[in-house]
Amino acid sequence: MKQKTLLKSIALLCLSLNFYSCDKGEEDIQPIEIIMPLQVGNEWIYKIIDYNSDGEVLSAGSFKRAVVKDTLINKQTWFILNNGMIVRNDRDGYVHYRKAAKEQYITYPSQSTSGIAYGYEYPNYTLWIFHRRTAGLVPLPDSPHVSQATEYTFERQTSLRASSALSTTWVKEYVVPALGMIRTDWYYADSGKLMRRYELESYRLK
């Protein structure tokens, strides 16, 4: 009898905690952070500069990113970029949708998802990408558009199957919600030397 009473008490306690968790979850729902300005017709022009390991310019070019249309996936509005990527702002951050997996993946994490990592298996190597963001703004020197931005860091760890050798490549992207991505810096593997930079030159926002 005592055992039944104890089990009943535990069940009631679990039920109470469950209701409390649900209520707390509803209260803790955060508004969606607008990390990237997404609207059909928005476009950005970037200058691309490639550097050798000594910091000398190898080549320069340009790159265009644009929001070409929107679409509905699982009753949610997504935006399609000119390179085919399907993206949206979400409570997890700025995310993209992969048709093959039928899932969304985080590109720029929110504060709560900062540190998330994805693993990818390839025939000759395994790639892990860790996505992080700064808690506040960081200085962005030499930008003609802004003086500060949120920094998103991508740590790309590549492990070769043949030798088990591990190399790390760093990518840093600087984003301002009102304008979008301002700058992207790719570094040489296992080095702090800049390899490629995307720098915002002009933009048009609706």
Side-chain angles (χ1 to χ4, degrees), residues 1-11:
M1 187 69 176
K2 288 183 178 179
Q3 186 177 7
K4 288 184 178 179
T5 304
L6 178 61
L7 290 173
K8 185 177 180 181
S9 299
I10 292 174

